[in-house]
Amino acid sequence: MSGLIQEMSDKAQRLGIPLAVQFDLTYRCNERCVHCYLDHDDHGEMNTAEIKDLMEQMAEAGVFFLTLSGGEIMMRRDFFEIVEHARRLSFCVKLKTNAVMIRQPEADRLQALALDAVQISVYSHRDEVHDAITKLPGSLKRTIAAVRLLVERGVKVVFANVLMRENFQDYSGVQALAAEVGAEFTIDPTITPMMDGDRSILNLNIERAQLQQVFRDASILGTSPQEFCAPPAGPPTAEDAQNMLPCSAGHTFCYVSPYGDVYPCVQFPLPTGNVRTTRFLDIWKHSPQMTEVRSITISDLPVCSTCSHGGGSCSRCPGLAYMEGNMRGPSSQDCEKSFVRTGVETAGMLIRREARSIDGLVQIRSAAGPDTKAESLQNCL
Amino acid sequence: MSPVYIARVKEVAARSIGGEMMIMSARDSTLFSLNETATAIWQAADGVTPLAEIVQRSLCAQFEVDPATALRDAEELVEGLAKHGILKLSDQPIVEAK
């Protein structure tokens, strides 16, 4: 993060300003990606007037960075009307799209909008792999044709390469394709649960050895693997832990669904209010749930505050922890990542292992009769 | 000396964060932070009001500064912003900025 952006972010946090928002315009999509965490039916999206009004409220609240995402954003017939309104309100706008609906006229209009960036999902440089993930025949060809149109017009394009078992072997190919077409490249090695809590898609996550390979690939890290995978720095000091925040969710960032529901983050499905009944700023400032999220510092995390990874190598996501049942608990996916990165087990992993062995003992006892302790232990995990 | 007209460039994102104007250029994603006086000039840059009038109205009255010094400083500032591509300068009113 550049110095000035960090300063702006710190200032926004001090003043309680929602500096950045991801706003999903729709969950409808023309692709059916195997790893998608969304339900694609329309359960009552906000209409154009509601969206424009919400964006005006956001501008008034101080939102600067606005990411419009979905679903596929261009499934909305009023898509350009919405983005044009966002730019009139001087947001720094980033779009997330699969780009298959972008042809020359759309590329021209996007160029005129002076966007910050267009992030486009690319799963492979090979049609058969990409299209098997999106379940839309011909999608890679259409996506890359759109990328070329945008890059030719000077629009900044960023490839988002989500890694899963199906496409792991292709990330270098996607990286090379990005370089060839003049796009930036980002990689995400984590498949997250569906928003309704269904964890079945986690089976698509890459294996530990594959994640190790990613974390030791200097071409992706932007730093040396030795530095990135260095042993954990130890737990934060008590003083640091009191001042450290888990992440920007609820502090300078939030997420709004197509139905007007406001959450601390797209990956943190804790409902905090709905803009159809309550003004955006009132939810942001006064919702009890948002206030609770905001009150949590690292020292409030019973496991993670003592973890040796807490000083730096851990990228704990409170939303993933929430989806595992406790927003103050560890996130097993992030524990796994920290472990793969450093080779050192996290406090969360040690506790889980201990609990499994206790659980084993309890099961032996329970063979002799019901044991309520077993149930209460299970609930704590 | 002919008057200077200034207009905000449309290809930027801008927001006042706690009284400080943050501006991001879409050309190269460079972020600028304007102080209170620069923010006052930026906000008044409608393309049709001469810079001298903006300075007189928005700065001299508000900040109690000498008009000649304020105008000189403002000219330097708007030239700098124009070089970074976030403000347009002209010796004619800039009508498209309306």
Side-chain angles (χ1 to χ4, degrees), chain B:
Chain B
M1 195 170 139
S2 56
V4 176
Y5 294 90
I6 57 174
R8 294 183 292 273
V9 168
K10 287 179 187 166
E11 291 78 25
V12 297
R15 190 72 71 230
S16 173
I17 309 287
E20 186 182 4
M21 185 62 72
M22 306 303 302
I23 299 175
M24 187 175 272
S25 157
R27 193 171 59 184
D28 54 8
S29 296
T30 309
L31 185 66
F32 300 88
S33 161
L34 306 187
N35 65 17
E36 205 178 346
T37 47
T39 298
I41 292 175
W42 167 266
Q43 285 174 327
D46 60 3
V48 294
T49 310
L51 180 61
E53 194 181 322
I54 291 173
V55 168
Q56 185 66 42
R57 206 171 49 198
S58 304
L59 299 188
C60 295
Q62 201 179 338
F63 300 103
E64 293 181 11
V65 288
D66 164 58
T69 310
L71 182 58
R72 240 189 347 265
D73 289 350
E75 282 169 346
E76 209 172 297
L77 171 80
V78 297
E79 277 167 23
L81 295 180
K83 273 187 196 152
H84 286 295
I86 61 173
L87 200 66
K88 282 184 204 168
L89 300 190
S90 173
D91 55 4
Q92 300 291 321
I94 306 166
V95 180
E96 63 167 356
K98 265 188 170 178

Side-chain angles (χ1 to χ4, degrees), chain A residues 50-114:
Chain A
E50 286 176 309
I51 287 176
K52 284 183 173 179
D53 177 58
L54 171 59
M55 291 197 298
E56 283 156 23
Q57 291 182 47
M58 287 178 182
E60 207 175 308
V63 175
F64 184 51
F65 299 104
L66 180 63
T67 298
L68 298 176
S69 183
E72 171 46 47
I73 45 180
M74 297 188 81
M75 295 290 280
R76 282 195 72 114
R77 291 179 188 278
D78 56 0
F79 165 71
F80 276 104
E81 191 178 344
I82 291 167
V83 188
E84 281 158 5
H85 195 67
R87 286 295 297 123
R88 266 196 296 279
L89 293 167
S90 289
F91 289 110
C92 180
V93 176
K94 177 179 175 180
L95 304 180
K96 290 186 179 181
T97 172
N98 58 39
V100 301
M101 293 168 81
I102 299 175
R103 294 188 175 81
Q104 197 169 314
E106 290 81 16
D108 288 340
R109 289 184 80 173
L110 290 173
Q111 177 192 23
L113 284 165

Side-chain angles (χ1 to χ4, degrees), chain A residues 74-262:
Chain A
M74 297 188 81
M75 295 290 280
R76 282 195 72 114
R77 291 179 188 278
D78 56 0
F79 165 71
F80 276 104
E81 191 178 344
I82 291 167
V83 188
E84 281 158 5
H85 195 67
R87 286 295 297 123
R88 266 196 296 279
L89 293 167
S90 289
F91 289 110
C92 180
V93 176
K94 177 179 175 180
L95 304 180
K96 290 186 179 181
T97 172
N98 58 39
V100 301
M101 293 168 81
I102 299 175
R103 294 188 175 81
Q104 197 169 314
E106 290 81 16
D108 288 340
R109 289 184 80 173
L110 290 173
Q111 177 192 23
L113 284 165
L115 303 166
D116 180 45
V118 179
Q119 182 178 305
I120 297 176
S121 308
V122 180
Y123 302 107
S124 170
H125 58 298
R126 295 183 294 156
D127 295 282
E128 64 274 24
V129 177
H130 178 94
D131 294 0
I133 289 171
T134 65
K135 308 241 182 237
L136 180 67
S139 56
L140 180 63
K141 280 198 171 57
R142 290 167 66 181
T143 293
I144 298 304
V147 167
R148 292 185 194 281
L149 289 171
L150 292 171
V151 172
E152 277 166 22
R153 284 159 178 76
V155 177
K156 179 173 153 190
V157 173
V158 181
F159 277 13
N161 184 201
V162 176
L163 287 188
M164 57 199 106
R165 292 178 187 215
E166 280 81 347
N167 67 342
F168 173 75
Q169 68 280 10
D170 286 358
Y171 78 78
S172 299
V174 178
Q175 198 174 17
L177 179 59
E180 184 214 315
V181 298
E184 291 182 16
F185 172 80
T186 61
I187 201 164
D188 182 355
T190 312
I191 304 293
T192 53
M194 293 189 70
M195 282 193 87
D196 64 5
D198 181 351
R199 302 179 71 81
S200 58
I201 55 173
L202 299 188
N203 293 331
L204 298 169
N205 266 307
I206 58 175
E207 290 166 13
R208 185 176 280 181
Q210 294 173 322
L211 191 57
Q212 269 170 343
Q213 187 182 322
V214 172
F215 282 167
R216 282 153 186 79
D217 185 337
S219 74
I220 290 174
L221 297 175
T223 178
S224 78
Q226 289 77 14
E227 196 180 325
F228 187 75
C229 298
T237 64
E239 194 187 342
D240 283 348
Q242 272 183 340
N243 296 318
M244 282 165 71
L245 302 172
C247 76
S248 63
H251 293 275
T252 55
F253 178 84
C254 71
Y255 165 73
V256 183
S257 82
Y259 315 124
D261 296 313
V262 181

